[in-house]
Amino acid sequence: MRRTLALALCGAIAGAAGASAQEGANATSASEAEANAGVQPELVPPREGPLLIARLAGTINPASADFLVSAVREAEATHAALLLIELDTPGGDLASTQEIVRTMMEASAPIAVFVPRGAWAASAGTFITLAAHVAAMAPGSSIGAAHPISFGGNNERKPQDPESEALAPPVDIGLEKAENFTISFIESIARERGRNAEWAAQAVRESVAITADEAAAKNVIDLVARDRGALLAVLDGRVVKLGGGSVRLALKGAPTRELTMGLLARFLHAIADPTFAFLFMFAGAALIWLELNTPGVGVPGILGAACLIVAAVSFQLVPFSWIGLGLFVAGVLLVAAELFLSTYGVLLAAGVACMLLGGSMVFERPDVSDLDLPFWQVVVPAVGTFAAFGAFAAFAVSRTLALPSRIGEGELLGMRGVASTALAPSGTVALRGELWSADAEGDVAQGDSVEVIAVDGMRLRVRRAAKRVAVGHGSATEEG
């Protein structure tokens, strides 16, 4: 009896302990599942502010960076329910990208980046998209291709082979440093936002680009939405990790306000492009050269000065190489010198070569910018046009120099004037608006027409010119 009671008591104790352990295990599993799902036990109250929308199309530059940073600050100041950035960019300079990303990573307001249909978040746009709290794309958009580009360097780099170093391709050190830095930068952004850091590094290292559906499948973005309305409908009520806590987005009924660039910011954003900077510089140099060759017109000089001022502002917004710019300017000066020195095309050829080389190098800065000047689409046509015009002008000048002289004594012979005084036989003659001392063959009355027959230093020898009078349908000549 006592043995049976003891066994029953031990079984009850063991069962209670097992149930307690199972309950603890279930609680631990639930806690782990909750943690793995990223759900915070406490949510920050939904923000009561407006829905702000900022659209950016074009390169990432100081003007666009200032616009996006100001948009984030506005969202924080107004306690916005959400800042939605609609992005379409081919890339931009690294300093502006860093400024935008740093502001987004430290923002206390929820930020979503949306790449609309037909747009792309290339290069610097990839960094900005990954830095958002919510990253979304529309079907027909793309993201990636974040590799820094160097026109003159070896973009397809391979490690040196120690056994056959002579056969191994050279390594572009500047490009390698830029690549390593951007890889670490984009990996840190992706890890912070819980996105695919491996693909992010691949986008820089191998310049890969993917579609919206591929980006969602690879955990590069959070979702795919057909348009802005569909995106906002999906985001309403979504929990977003923000700083040390989480916030549930309350977008339904929130007032919507679009943020736009000011007039000056739009102008700076438009000209902050390597193509615009090059074309304005090229047009300014050509117009100034035209003004120097046609003095007194004024219009080409004014327009050329305006173009050079715009180019100078643009060069302040776009990173450039002083070596490339110097080579290009030297090429322009050499082409212009051909017109005055007539070296039978030597200076013209040297100038064209300098312009092509300088144009290919002027925006080659892979360490600070992923933008470059299209060589075949912009540099070659512009330089070719300028070279053709310079060659035509040089040919015209050379033909003019080959003509016989038409000034001095040869120009005066046969020219007609009027006797200002009576020539008996000496006096003065009005010729080309000037008064000349003259000696006449025979007497010439004042006001008679005279013809130059010889030049003796600063003195003319003239004779009375024949008068031409019309007779019927012909003409006849008679002595005056």
Side-chain angles (χ1 to χ4, degrees), residues 368-396:
V368 294
S369 175
D370 56 16
L371 295 178
D372 203 359
L373 181 65
F375 183 74
W376 295 105
Q377 296 88 344
V378 177
V379 177
V380 172
V383 173
T385 302
F386 189 79
F389 182 77
F392 175 77
F395 176 73

Side-chain angles (χ1 to χ4, degrees), residues 49 56 105 131 172 239 280 350 369 415 457:
L56 178 63
M105 300 294 286
D172 190 331
V239 176
F280 274 112
S369 175
M415 190 172 291

Side-chain angles (χ1 to χ4, degrees), residues 11 20 27 35 45 51 55 72 102 119 162 214 246 271 298 303 386 427 444 462 476:
S20 177
L51 168 64
R55 287 184 288 183
V72 174
R102 180 173 61 251
E214 292 174 316
S246 299
I271 66 173
L303 293 178
F386 189 79
V444 177
V462 299

Side-chain angles (χ1 to χ4, degrees), residues 30-43 238-242 244-248:
S31 177
E32 290 178 354
E34 185 179 10
N36 293 333
V39 178
Q40 299 293 333
E42 295 184 2
L43 296 177
R238 184 186 181 95
V239 176
V240 175
K241 184 179 179 181
L242 188 65
S246 299
V247 62
R248 188 179 300 276

Side-chain angles (χ1 to χ4, degrees), residues 405-423:
S405 175
R406 300 290 296 177
I407 61 175
E409 294 183 6
E411 182 187 19
L412 295 175
L413 292 178
M415 190 172 291
R416 291 192 172 203
V418 177
S420 301
T421 64
L423 302 177

Side-chain angles (χ1 to χ4, degrees), residues 169-232:
V171 176
D172 190 331
I173 301 299
L175 189 61
E176 184 178 38
K177 290 173 62 178
E179 179 183 302
N180 292 336
F181 174 78
T182 50
I183 287 175
S184 62
F185 183 37
I186 201 169
E187 281 183 331
S188 64
I189 297 172
R191 289 195 180 97
E192 177 67 20
R193 294 303 190 206
R195 300 195 171 98
N196 192 336
E198 182 178 352
W199 178 89
Q202 189 180 13
V204 175
R205 184 179 296 110
E206 302 177 17
S207 196
V208 296
I210 55 178
T211 63
D213 293 331
E214 292 174 316
K218 293 178 180 293
N219 189 32
V220 176
I221 62 173
D222 299 307
L223 53 95
V224 177
R226 66 178 183 274
D227 53 29
R228 181 197 298 177
L231 174 64
L232 295 178

Side-chain angles (χ1 to χ4, degrees), residues 327-347:
L327 281 173
F328 185 84
V329 173
V332 174
L333 295 178
L334 288 173
V335 173
E338 175 67 31
L339 303 180
F340 301 97
L341 301 179
S342 186
T343 61
Y344 301 98
V346 175
L347 291 180

